[in-house]
Each structure stands twice: as structure tokens, then as C-alpha cells.
Amino acid sequence: MNQLSILDEATRLRGQLPDGFRDGIVESLHNDAARITDSSVTERGESGRPTLDRLLDGALTHRVWGFVVMGLLFFAVFWFTISGAAGPSGLLSRLLVDYGHGQLHALVAPLHAPQWVTGLLLDGVYLSTAWVVAVMLPPMAIFFPLFTLLEDFGYLPRVAFNLDRLFAKAGAHGKQSLSMMMGYGCNAAGVTATRIIDSRRERLIAIVTNNFSICNGRWPTLILMGTIFIGAVAPPALAGVVAAASVVTVAFLGVLVTLLVSWGLSRTVLRGHSSTYSLELPPYRPPKVWRTLYTSLIDRTLKVLRRAVVMAAPAGALVWIISNVTVADASIAAHLVNALEPLGWLLGLNGVILLAYLVAIPANEIIIPTILMLTLTLGPNLFGAQQGVMLELGTAQTHTVLVQAGGWTLLTAVNLMLFSLLHNPCSTTILTIWNETRSLKWTAVATLLPIALGFLVTGVTATVARLAGWA
């Protein structure tokens, strides 16, 4: 059909339209324009009653109060996640670690399996996966639904609007703020969330820097250090507040590092102009709770948990092997700790901490249990720990182990908090980075850049503390 035939056919069809059809279209356009004008324009001399959306946006996108509300809201989300997950995590720990571990040993005892088989499978593989489930599942089951409810309500585009200027000055995309926030639940989910950024350059910046968002696997380490070391230097009445403030300070340092590293990348290896984009602020709407729960629990929580469990199983096996296989009258773990001790001292840490981070690359959740086990089995065994069997102790007992058996100081705790913020991503996140970028180069950059910063920052902190006589 040629062009003239198409025009003739259009003329014929137009003649078949009912009378007043075109007038109706024009009238509907004018009615829509009038409705939009009435809701958004106030003429001089009229009082004009603002809509609820405009009232909310006046506060949530304000240059000052927008950041205040955002900080308070996300602090509430984090606090509710941490405090709300404590009970379920403890219940799962008692069920899977205390009860389940003992019951499995009782079940396999009649089989008279070799000790190394039960040790490798039950004390290594099973315990590590049980720890990951107990530590990861409750926080993610709380954080992801809350985050998705804020998204459904229409608040997250306001977050991107508030932070757009900061990220634009850093040479990054305003939407990076959303993937950064998602990283506080899980960095693997945060890396996946960078798909909302169209520019490959800016998406790579968001992927590389997402590790500076503290995932739920690192919160227990920060909270423990803040509680038993930072809070201990304050008067008893203020200990809890000081401990919480120390954890929040590290989280804010993560945001600052994200902006600084984004700025550095955008002016070196990822140079380019920041994208201009039209950010539509959707109307506020009631969240769809049931759909949100399904999406958050099935599409996010369980998928991330499955990948983490798959990664944690070999980590548990490795912990058991290096703790029980001896070379020259000492375990492999003892040799590795001795080899890492000089570097640990330079960083204000120790060889046990560095080894725990090495074997816990698949899962940050097992770092503290691994540190406690290695500290007790390689030093004074105050609580009868077994080789390669990760354990959990109460706060007072943990303090006793770390200070008396491990020789920890306030510098050790502070630098562990900093190193927890600035170290390589877990293997689940590394695999996700590879899946998203399909680039060995950028996977390596995203993996090695944080740990290089961790070495630099903790090394400087330790040196300054020692020169000042604080350690």
C-alpha cells in the first residue's frame, strides 16, 4: 500500500466517525488541563488549599527538613530491623545451632561414622549454614518488606530527589541513592538494584561503591564492638546511647566514603558527564501490603538467602579443615594466624581477625563465631571450645574472651568496625557483580578497592593512635 492509499484510507475512516467525536477529544483535553491547573496553580489573591501530596512534598523534599526526615526515617527502619530481628535470630540460633547441631550428632552416633566425616559435615558445613540462616533471614525478612513499602508509598523517588545534588557533584547518578539504600539490607540486592541506572558508566560507579553500604551480615559485628568496647568507655547511664551512636557513625561514614569514591572514580577511570534525567515524583498511594510481602520474601529474601547458604557451606568446611589438619605439630589455622600477625599488628588488628575475614569471604555472618573459636582454641581455652566448631557466647563472656584470651584493646575494636565497613564484598556479592557486569576487570575493582581502603584507613588509625600514646 503506497502513501496516497494510506491517506485515502485514513480519510475514509475519519468520515465514519460519529458526529462530535473530535469535539469530545478536544473537550476532554481541556477538562484535564483545567483539573491539573486547579490542583497545582494558585492565583494571586486566593488562599489556595494545598493537597496532601503537596504538604508531604513540602516536608519530604525540603532542602533541610527533607534530609532530617530521611535520616530519622531510615534510622527508624534500621533500628526496627536490628531490634526486631534479635528475637527471631536468637530463636533460630537456639533451634538450628544449639538444638539442631546436638540432635544431628545424636542421630549419626549409631552409624559410627569416622570423626572427620561428622566433624566436616556437622561441625563445619552444617554449623556455618545454620549461622547464616539464623543471622540473615530475620533482618532481611524485616528490612526488605519495609524498604518495598516505602517504595510503594512513593517515598523512595523523594530520596533520589533529595540526594541527586550530592551524587551529581560526585559525578554519579541520583538513582544511586536507591541502590545504596538497598545495600543496607544486602549488597548483592543493592548491586542488582543498579539496573535502574541507564548509563553504564554511572551504573559501574554504583556497583563498585555499593559495598560501603553495611549489609545485615556486618551489623552484628558493629553492634557487638559498639556494645562491649565503645559503650564501656561511657558512664553506665549513657553506655547504650554511646554504643548506638558509634554504630550510626560508621554507617554515616559509609555514605561519606560512597560519595568520595564515586567522586574519585568519576574523575579517573570512569570519567564522563553526569546524566541528566527527568525524575517523576509519583503521587503517594497506599502500599499493597500482601504483594509487597510476597515480592520481598520470595523475590528478594529467599533468593539472596539461598545464594548465601550455598556460599557458606564450603566456608564452614574450610574453617573445620584448617582448624583440625595439623602440619609440624600445629594446625593450619595456627600457622596462618602466625603468618598474618605482623600485618594484623600494623592494621591495629591481629592475625585471628584477618584469618576470620579470609575464611568468611563467602559469608560475613560467621566472622564473630570464627573469631571466638580461633581465639579460644589457639590461646587460653576459657570455655572449652572445640577445634573448628564455631560458637556463640553472651556479651560478658565475649568480652572476657576477646580481652583476656585475645588481648584486644579499644583500638582493636575501633579498627575492626572500620575494617568491617571497608573490606572486600562477600562471595555472593562478588558473584552478583560478575553476573551484572560480565567483566573480570570491574569485578576485581569492586572486590579489591574496598579492602585497599580498609588497609589504608586502619593502618593510619593504628599509627596515629600509637604515636599519640592511645594504644
Side-chain angles (χ1 to χ4, degrees):
M1 183 178 291
N2 57 37
Q3 185 176 1
L4 290 177
S5 299
I6 293 174
L7 293 175
D8 291 341
E9 180 67 12
T11 302
R12 185 184 67 80
L13 293 174
R14 212 168 29 243
Q16 297 177 3
L17 293 174
D19 295 338
F21 181 80
R22 282 172 288 186
D23 292 339
I25 293 177
V26 174
E27 183 179 358
S28 68
L29 291 175
H30 280 280
N31 289 337
D32 287 341
R35 178 178 55 79
I36 294 171
T37 301
D38 291 340
S39 64
S40 59
V41 177
T42 302
E43 296 184 9
R44 184 175 299 174
E46 294 183 358
S47 59
R49 184 178 180 181
T51 62
L52 179 61
D53 281 19
R54 294 176 66 186
L55 286 173
L56 288 174
D57 279 339
L60 299 182
T61 62
H62 192 273
R63 284 180 173 269
V64 176
W65 294 112
F67 285 93
V68 174
V69 173
M70 182 176 64
L72 291 175
L73 186 58
F74 281 107
F75 179 83
V77 169
F78 296 146
W79 175 84
F80 188 74
T81 299
I82 294 169
S83 60
S89 287
L91 180 61
L92 283 175
S93 177
R94 289 190 294 273
L95 178 64
L96 299 177
V97 178
D98 299 337
Y99 178 78
H101 183 238
Q103 287 297 111
L104 286 175
H105 268 286
L107 286 174
V108 301
L111 301 177
H112 302 291
Q115 193 276 333
W116 70 267
V117 173
T118 57
L120 181 65
L121 296 180
L122 300 185
D123 300 336
V125 173
Y126 173 78
L127 265 186
S128 65
T129 54
W131 273 111
V132 168
V133 172
V135 174
M136 280 191 72
L137 180 57
M140 286 197 302
I142 295 174
F143 179 83
F144 285 149
L146 289 177
F147 197 86
T148 309
L149 286 173
L150 291 176
E151 183 180 10
D152 286 350
F153 178 63
Y155 179 65
L156 292 190
R158 274 79 182 174
V159 173
F161 177 83
N162 290 337
L163 295 177
D164 179 58
R165 288 191 301 274
L166 292 177
F167 280 97
K169 290 180 180 178
H173 200 287
K175 291 182 181 179
Q176 183 176 333
S177 60
L178 303 182
S179 63
M180 179 186 72
M181 292 296 179
M182 182 64 76
Y184 283 101
C186 175
N187 293 129
V191 169
T192 304
T194 61
R195 294 175 184 175
I196 62 176
I197 302 174
D198 296 325
S199 164
R200 175 170 171 78
R201 181 189 75 86
E202 290 166 327
R203 189 181 176 209
L204 284 173
I205 293 176
I207 288 174
V208 171
T209 58
N210 193 266
N211 190 62
F212 304 126
S213 297
I214 302 168
C215 68
N216 60 59
R218 289 182 272 175
W219 286 112
T221 301
L222 296 177
I223 294 170
L224 183 64
M225 293 300 104
T227 301
I228 66 178
F229 283 99
I230 310 299
V233 302
L238 298 176
V241 175
V242 172
S246 68
V247 176
V248 173
T249 299
V250 175
F252 276 109
L253 280 176
V255 177
L256 179 61
V257 172
T258 296
L259 292 171
L260 290 175
V261 173
S262 297
W263 179 86
L265 290 172
S266 68
R267 282 156 178 78
T268 53
V269 293
L270 288 172
R271 279 192 293 265
H273 295 288
S274 298
S275 299
T276 56
Y277 72 103
S278 176
L279 178 63
E280 178 184 358
L281 296 182
Y284 297 99
R285 55 188 180 272
K288 298 179 179 179
V289 178
W290 294 113
R291 189 189 69 178
T292 295
L293 289 175
Y294 175 83
T295 302
S296 302
L297 295 177
I298 303 300
D299 290 349
R300 289 178 178 172
T301 301
L302 294 184
K303 286 183 178 179
V304 172
L305 182 64
R306 178 182 59 82
R307 281 183 290 177
V309 167
V310 169
M311 294 294 183
L318 180 60
V319 170
W320 189 90
I321 290 171
I322 65 172
S323 299
N324 286 275
V325 176
T326 60
V327 178
D329 298 327
S331 67
I332 296 175
H335 289 296
L336 291 173
V337 167
N338 290 334
L340 292 170
E341 191 65 34
L343 176 60
W345 183 86
L346 287 175
L347 302 179
L349 302 170
N350 58 40
V352 167
I353 295 173
L354 295 183
L355 179 58
Y357 271 94
L358 278 176
V359 298
I361 288 176
N364 287 312
E365 291 77 8
I366 67 173
I367 285 175
I368 291 299
T370 303
I371 287 176
L372 293 175
M373 182 273 294
L374 290 173
T375 300
L376 288 173
T377 56
L378 298 179
N381 200 338
L382 305 178
F383 296 100
Q386 301 177 45
Q387 297 282 354
V389 181
M390 291 175 284
L391 74 159
E392 181 184 26
L393 300 174
T395 301
Q397 292 174 315
T398 300
H399 183 269
T400 300
V401 170
L402 297 180
V403 174
Q404 295 184 14
W408 286 35
T409 64
L410 181 61
L411 173 64
T412 313
V414 170
N415 273 12
L416 179 57
M417 296 178 78
L418 293 173
F419 195 71
S420 184
L421 169 66
L422 305 170
H423 77 279
N424 55 279
C426 69
S427 54
T428 304
T429 304
I430 294 172
L431 178 62
T432 304
I433 293 171
W434 164 254
N435 288 333
E436 293 297 320
T437 63
R438 292 294 172 182
S439 167
L440 182 61
K441 169 188 172 182
W442 289 112
T443 302
V445 169
T447 302
L448 299 177
L449 178 61
I451 198 168
L453 287 175
F455 283 172
L456 176 63
V457 170
T458 54
V460 170
T461 304
T463 302
V464 170
R466 288 172 181 136
L467 290 176
W470 298 335

PDB file of all heavy atoms in Angstrom, residues 426-450:
ATOM      1  N   CYS A 426      31.341  -9.932  50.133  1.00  0.00           N
ATOM      2  CA  CYS A 426      31.225 -11.382  50.308  1.00  0.00           C
ATOM      3  C   CYS A 426      31.135 -12.039  48.929  1.00  0.00           C
ATOM      4  O   CYS A 426      30.876 -11.372  47.920  1.00  0.00           O
ATOM      5  CB  CYS A 426      29.996 -11.725  51.149  1.00  0.00           C
ATOM      6  SG  CYS A 426      28.423 -11.391  50.324  1.00  0.00           S
ATOM      7  N   SER A 427      31.327 -13.341  48.881  1.00  0.00           N
ATOM      8  CA  SER A 427      31.371 -14.032  47.595  1.00  0.00           C
ATOM      9  C   SER A 427      30.025 -13.978  46.866  1.00  0.00           C
ATOM     10  O   SER A 427      29.988 -13.980  45.628  1.00  0.00           O
ATOM     11  CB  SER A 427      31.817 -15.483  47.786  1.00  0.00           C
ATOM     12  OG  SER A 427      31.003 -16.131  48.736  1.00  0.00           O
ATOM     13  N   THR A 428      28.922 -13.921  47.618  1.00  0.00           N
ATOM     14  CA  THR A 428      27.610 -13.786  46.975  1.00  0.00           C
ATOM     15  C   THR A 428      27.524 -12.485  46.188  1.00  0.00           C
ATOM     16  O   THR A 428      27.046 -12.450  45.053  1.00  0.00           O
ATOM     17  CB  THR A 428      26.485 -13.835  48.021  1.00  0.00           C
ATOM     18  OG1 THR A 428      26.590 -15.035  48.778  1.00  0.00           O
ATOM     19  CG2 THR A 428      25.119 -13.769  47.368  1.00  0.00           C
ATOM     20  N   THR A 429      28.028 -11.408  46.794  1.00  0.00           N
ATOM     21  CA  THR A 429      28.024 -10.111  46.116  1.00  0.00           C
ATOM     22  C   THR A 429      29.008 -10.105  44.954  1.00  0.00           C
ATOM     23  O   THR A 429      28.718  -9.534  43.885  1.00  0.00           O
ATOM     24  CB  THR A 429      28.374  -8.993  47.116  1.00  0.00           C
ATOM     25  OG1 THR A 429      27.461  -9.034  48.215  1.00  0.00           O
ATOM     26  CG2 THR A 429      28.294  -7.629  46.456  1.00  0.00           C
ATOM     27  N   ILE A 430      30.174 -10.726  45.137  1.00  0.00           N
ATOM     28  CA  ILE A 430      31.161 -10.789  44.050  1.00  0.00           C
ATOM     29  C   ILE A 430      30.567 -11.517  42.845  1.00  0.00           C
ATOM     30  O   ILE A 430      30.715 -11.079  41.690  1.00  0.00           O
ATOM     31  CB  ILE A 430      32.446 -11.483  44.531  1.00  0.00           C
ATOM     32  CG1 ILE A 430      33.140 -10.639  45.605  1.00  0.00           C
ATOM     33  CG2 ILE A 430      33.406 -11.724  43.364  1.00  0.00           C
ATOM     34  CD1 ILE A 430      34.312 -11.329  46.275  1.00  0.00           C
ATOM     35  N   LEU A 431      29.878 -12.628  43.108  1.00  0.00           N
ATOM     36  CA  LEU A 431      29.231 -13.365  42.019  1.00  0.00           C
ATOM     37  C   LEU A 431      28.162 -12.514  41.350  1.00  0.00           C
ATOM     38  O   LEU A 431      28.024 -12.527  40.108  1.00  0.00           O
ATOM     39  CB  LEU A 431      28.624 -14.652  42.572  1.00  0.00           C
ATOM     40  CG  LEU A 431      27.866 -15.532  41.556  1.00  0.00           C
ATOM     41  CD1 LEU A 431      28.795 -16.007  40.459  1.00  0.00           C
ATOM     42  CD2 LEU A 431      27.225 -16.727  42.265  1.00  0.00           C
ATOM     43  N   THR A 432      27.414 -11.754  42.137  1.00  0.00           N
ATOM     44  CA  THR A 432      26.380 -10.883  41.568  1.00  0.00           C
ATOM     45  C   THR A 432      27.004  -9.782  40.717  1.00  0.00           C
ATOM     46  O   THR A 432      26.471  -9.436  39.650  1.00  0.00           O
ATOM     47  CB  THR A 432      25.535 -10.261  42.697  1.00  0.00           C
ATOM     48  OG1 THR A 432      24.993 -11.298  43.519  1.00  0.00           O
ATOM     49  CG2 THR A 432      24.394  -9.432  42.121  1.00  0.00           C
ATOM     50  N   ILE A 433      28.115  -9.221  41.170  1.00  0.00           N
ATOM     51  CA  ILE A 433      28.813  -8.188  40.382  1.00  0.00           C
ATOM     52  C   ILE A 433      29.239  -8.761  39.038  1.00  0.00           C
ATOM     53  O   ILE A 433      29.091  -8.116  37.988  1.00  0.00           O
ATOM     54  CB  ILE A 433      30.028  -7.656  41.165  1.00  0.00           C
ATOM     55  CG1 ILE A 433      29.565  -6.883  42.402  1.00  0.00           C
ATOM     56  CG2 ILE A 433      30.892  -6.750  40.278  1.00  0.00           C
ATOM     57  CD1 ILE A 433      30.688  -6.499  43.345  1.00  0.00           C
ATOM     58  N   TRP A 434      29.781  -9.982  39.060  1.00  0.00           N
ATOM     59  CA  TRP A 434      30.182 -10.619  37.804  1.00  0.00           C
ATOM     60  C   TRP A 434      28.965 -10.836  36.895  1.00  0.00           C
ATOM     61  O   TRP A 434      29.025 -10.572  35.685  1.00  0.00           O
ATOM     62  CB  TRP A 434      30.874 -11.947  38.086  1.00  0.00           C
ATOM     63  CG  TRP A 434      30.968 -12.835  36.874  1.00  0.00           C
ATOM     64  CD1 TRP A 434      30.248 -13.955  36.619  1.00  0.00           C
ATOM     65  CD2 TRP A 434      31.813 -12.636  35.727  1.00  0.00           C
ATOM     66  NE1 TRP A 434      30.592 -14.492  35.408  1.00  0.00           N
ATOM     67  CE2 TRP A 434      31.547 -13.707  34.828  1.00  0.00           C
ATOM     68  CE3 TRP A 434      32.758 -11.685  35.382  1.00  0.00           C
ATOM     69  CZ2 TRP A 434      32.195 -13.822  33.612  1.00  0.00           C
ATOM     70  CZ3 TRP A 434      33.403 -11.803  34.153  1.00  0.00           C
ATOM     71  CH2 TRP A 434      33.132 -12.861  33.294  1.00  0.00           C
ATOM     72  N   ASN A 435      27.860 -11.302  37.459  1.00  0.00           N
ATOM     73  CA  ASN A 435      26.661 -11.541  36.656  1.00  0.00           C
ATOM     74  C   ASN A 435      26.118 -10.251  36.048  1.00  0.00           C
ATOM     75  O   ASN A 435      25.573 -10.263  34.941  1.00  0.00           O
ATOM     76  CB  ASN A 435      25.576 -12.210  37.510  1.00  0.00           C
ATOM     77  CG  ASN A 435      25.901 -13.649  37.840  1.00  0.00           C
ATOM     78  OD1 ASN A 435      26.615 -14.316  37.103  1.00  0.00           O
ATOM     79  ND2 ASN A 435      25.382 -14.141  38.964  1.00  0.00           N
ATOM     80  N   GLU A 436      26.257  -9.138  36.777  1.00  0.00           N
ATOM     81  CA  GLU A 436      25.707  -7.872  36.303  1.00  0.00           C
ATOM     82  C   GLU A 436      26.632  -7.173  35.305  1.00  0.00           C
ATOM     83  O   GLU A 436      26.158  -6.463  34.414  1.00  0.00           O
ATOM     84  CB  GLU A 436      25.433  -6.939  37.488  1.00  0.00           C
ATOM     85  CG  GLU A 436      24.337  -7.410  38.421  1.00  0.00           C
ATOM     86  CD  GLU A 436      22.981  -7.492  37.748  1.00  0.00           C
ATOM     87  OE1 GLU A 436      22.658  -6.586  36.955  1.00  0.00           O
ATOM     88  OE2 GLU A 436      22.250  -8.458  38.009  1.00  0.00           O
ATOM     89  N   THR A 437      27.946  -7.332  35.468  1.00  0.00           N
ATOM     90  CA  THR A 437      28.894  -6.609  34.603  1.00  0.00           C
ATOM     91  C   THR A 437      29.500  -7.485  33.511  1.00  0.00           C
ATOM     92  O   THR A 437      29.893  -6.971  32.458  1.00  0.00           O
ATOM     93  CB  THR A 437      30.052  -6.037  35.442  1.00  0.00           C
ATOM     94  OG1 THR A 437      30.791  -7.120  36.043  1.00  0.00           O
ATOM     95  CG2 THR A 437      29.525  -5.115  36.532  1.00  0.00           C
ATOM     96  N   ARG A 438      29.606  -8.790  33.777  1.00  0.00           N
ATOM     97  CA  ARG A 438      30.292  -9.701  32.869  1.00  0.00           C
ATOM     98  C   ARG A 438      31.690  -9.177  32.531  1.00  0.00           C
ATOM     99  O   ARG A 438      32.179  -9.328  31.411  1.00  0.00           O
ATOM    100  CB  ARG A 438      29.489  -9.910  31.573  1.00  0.00           C
ATOM    101  CG  ARG A 438      28.199 -10.663  31.783  1.00  0.00           C
ATOM    102  CD  ARG A 438      28.476 -12.086  32.231  1.00  0.00           C
ATOM    103  NE  ARG A 438      27.242 -12.797  32.618  1.00  0.00           N
ATOM    104  CZ  ARG A 438      27.218 -14.026  33.081  1.00  0.00           C
ATOM    105  NH1 ARG A 438      28.352 -14.688  33.244  1.00  0.00           N
ATOM    106  NH2 ARG A 438      26.083 -14.607  33.410  1.00  0.00           N
ATOM    107  N   SER A 439      32.318  -8.581  33.519  1.00  0.00           N
ATOM    108  CA  SER A 439      33.643  -8.003  33.338  1.00  0.00           C
ATOM    109  C   SER A 439      34.539  -8.439  34.478  1.00  0.00           C
ATOM    110  O   SER A 439      34.262  -8.141  35.649  1.00  0.00           O
ATOM    111  CB  SER A 439      33.555  -6.471  33.292  1.00  0.00           C
ATOM    112  OG  SER A 439      34.835  -5.884  33.410  1.00  0.00           O
ATOM    113  N   LEU A 440      35.619  -9.147  34.163  1.00  0.00           N
ATOM    114  CA  LEU A 440      36.583  -9.547  35.180  1.00  0.00           C
ATOM    115  C   LEU A 440      37.262  -8.322  35.782  1.00  0.00           C
ATOM    116  O   LEU A 440      37.537  -8.279  36.991  1.00  0.00           O
ATOM    117  CB  LEU A 440      37.627 -10.489  34.559  1.00  0.00           C
ATOM    118  CG  LEU A 440      38.683 -11.049  35.509  1.00  0.00           C
ATOM    119  CD1 LEU A 440      38.025 -11.873  36.610  1.00  0.00           C
ATOM    120  CD2 LEU A 440      39.699 -11.888  34.740  1.00  0.00           C
ATOM    121  N   LYS A 441      37.497  -7.323  34.941  1.00  0.00           N
ATOM    122  CA  LYS A 441      38.166  -6.098  35.404  1.00  0.00           C
ATOM    123  C   LYS A 441      37.353  -5.406  36.485  1.00  0.00           C
ATOM    124  O   LYS A 441      37.867  -5.095  37.568  1.00  0.00           O
ATOM    125  CB  LYS A 441      38.382  -5.158  34.217  1.00  0.00           C
ATOM    126  CG  LYS A 441      38.835  -3.751  34.611  1.00  0.00           C
ATOM    127  CD  LYS A 441      38.839  -2.825  33.409  1.00  0.00           C
ATOM    128  CE  LYS A 441      39.107  -1.386  33.827  1.00  0.00           C
ATOM    129  NZ  LYS A 441      39.073  -0.460  32.661  1.00  0.00           N
ATOM    130  N   TRP A 442      36.071  -5.173  36.223  1.00  0.00           N
ATOM    131  CA  TRP A 442      35.271  -4.408  37.181  1.00  0.00           C
ATOM    132  C   TRP A 442      34.874  -5.248  38.383  1.00  0.00           C
ATOM    133  O   TRP A 442      34.678  -4.713  39.475  1.00  0.00           O
ATOM    134  CB  TRP A 442      34.042  -3.822  36.489  1.00  0.00           C
ATOM    135  CG  TRP A 442      34.423  -2.724  35.556  1.00  0.00           C
ATOM    136  CD1 TRP A 442      34.351  -2.722  34.196  1.00  0.00           C
ATOM    137  CD2 TRP A 442      35.005  -1.476  35.920  1.00  0.00           C
ATOM    138  NE1 TRP A 442      34.842  -1.549  33.693  1.00  0.00           N
ATOM    139  CE2 TRP A 442      35.248  -0.761  34.733  1.00  0.00           C
ATOM    140  CE3 TRP A 442      35.343  -0.888  37.138  1.00  0.00           C
ATOM    141  CZ2 TRP A 442      35.812   0.498  34.727  1.00  0.00           C
ATOM    142  CZ3 TRP A 442      35.906   0.380  37.139  1.00  0.00           C
ATOM    143  CH2 TRP A 442      36.137   1.055  35.951  1.00  0.00           C
ATOM    144  N   THR A 443      34.801  -6.552  38.214  1.00  0.00           N
ATOM    145  CA  THR A 443      34.590  -7.414  39.373  1.00  0.00           C
ATOM    146  C   THR A 443      35.794  -7.340  40.302  1.00  0.00           C
ATOM    147  O   THR A 443      35.649  -7.276  41.530  1.00  0.00           O
ATOM    148  CB  THR A 443      34.345  -8.869  38.931  1.00  0.00           C
ATOM    149  OG1 THR A 443      33.215  -8.906  38.048  1.00  0.00           O
ATOM    150  CG2 THR A 443      34.065  -9.760  40.129  1.00  0.00           C
ATOM    151  N   ALA A 444      36.998  -7.329  39.718  1.00  0.00           N
ATOM    152  CA  ALA A 444      38.217  -7.224  40.523  1.00  0.00           C
ATOM    153  C   ALA A 444      38.313  -5.859  41.201  1.00  0.00           C
ATOM    154  O   ALA A 444      38.689  -5.759  42.383  1.00  0.00           O
ATOM    155  CB  ALA A 444      39.442  -7.456  39.643  1.00  0.00           C
ATOM    156  N   VAL A 445      37.954  -4.791  40.484  1.00  0.00           N
ATOM    157  CA  VAL A 445      37.999  -3.443  41.075  1.00  0.00           C
ATOM    158  C   VAL A 445      37.032  -3.350  42.250  1.00  0.00           C
ATOM    159  O   VAL A 445      37.373  -2.844  43.331  1.00  0.00           O
ATOM    160  CB  VAL A 445      37.663  -2.374  40.013  1.00  0.00           C
ATOM    161  CG1 VAL A 445      37.446  -1.012  40.672  1.00  0.00           C
ATOM    162  CG2 VAL A 445      38.771  -2.281  38.980  1.00  0.00           C
ATOM    163  N   ALA A 446      35.812  -3.845  42.056  1.00  0.00           N
ATOM    164  CA  ALA A 446      34.802  -3.777  43.121  1.00  0.00           C
ATOM    165  C   ALA A 446      35.193  -4.635  44.315  1.00  0.00           C
ATOM    166  O   ALA A 446      34.762  -4.366  45.442  1.00  0.00           O
ATOM    167  CB  ALA A 446      33.445  -4.230  42.577  1.00  0.00           C
ATOM    168  N   THR A 447      36.022  -5.656  44.094  1.00  0.00           N
ATOM    169  CA  THR A 447      36.445  -6.541  45.176  1.00  0.00           C
ATOM    170  C   THR A 447      37.656  -5.994  45.917  1.00  0.00           C
ATOM    171  O   THR A 447      37.719  -6.020  47.153  1.00  0.00           O
ATOM    172  CB  THR A 447      36.767  -7.939  44.622  1.00  0.00           C
ATOM    173  OG1 THR A 447      35.604  -8.466  43.966  1.00  0.00           O
ATOM    174  CG2 THR A 447      37.191  -8.884  45.734  1.00  0.00           C
ATOM    175  N   LEU A 448      38.644  -5.480  45.179  1.00  0.00           N
ATOM    176  CA  LEU A 448      39.930  -5.106  45.768  1.00  0.00           C
ATOM    177  C   LEU A 448      39.977  -3.658  46.265  1.00  0.00           C
ATOM    178  O   LEU A 448      40.717  -3.346  47.202  1.00  0.00           O
ATOM    179  CB  LEU A 448      41.050  -5.327  44.745  1.00  0.00           C
ATOM    180  CG  LEU A 448      41.216  -6.774  44.268  1.00  0.00           C
ATOM    181  CD1 LEU A 448      42.309  -6.863  43.206  1.00  0.00           C
ATOM    182  CD2 LEU A 448      41.527  -7.696  45.437  1.00  0.00           C
ATOM    183  N   LEU A 449      39.198  -2.761  45.641  1.00  0.00           N
ATOM    184  CA  LEU A 449      39.230  -1.353  46.067  1.00  0.00           C
ATOM    185  C   LEU A 449      38.802  -1.178  47.521  1.00  0.00           C
ATOM    186  O   LEU A 449      39.482  -0.479  48.290  1.00  0.00           O
ATOM    187  CB  LEU A 449      38.352  -0.512  45.139  1.00  0.00           C
ATOM    188  CG  LEU A 449      38.241   0.975  45.491  1.00  0.00           C
ATOM    189  CD1 LEU A 449      39.623   1.639  45.445  1.00  0.00           C
ATOM    190  CD2 LEU A 449      37.279   1.683  44.541  1.00  0.00           C
ATOM    191  N   PRO A 450      37.702  -1.790  47.979  1.00  0.00           N
ATOM    192  CA  PRO A 450      37.322  -1.608  49.389  1.00  0.00           C
ATOM    193  C   PRO A 450      38.377  -2.108  50.366  1.00  0.00           C
ATOM    194  O   PRO A 450      38.662  -1.444  51.375  1.00  0.00           O
ATOM    195  CB  PRO A 450      36.026  -2.421  49.511  1.00  0.00           C
ATOM    196  CG  PRO A 450      35.481  -2.489  48.128  1.00  0.00           C
ATOM    197  CD  PRO A 450      36.683  -2.561  47.241  1.00  0.00           C
TER     198      PRO A 450
END
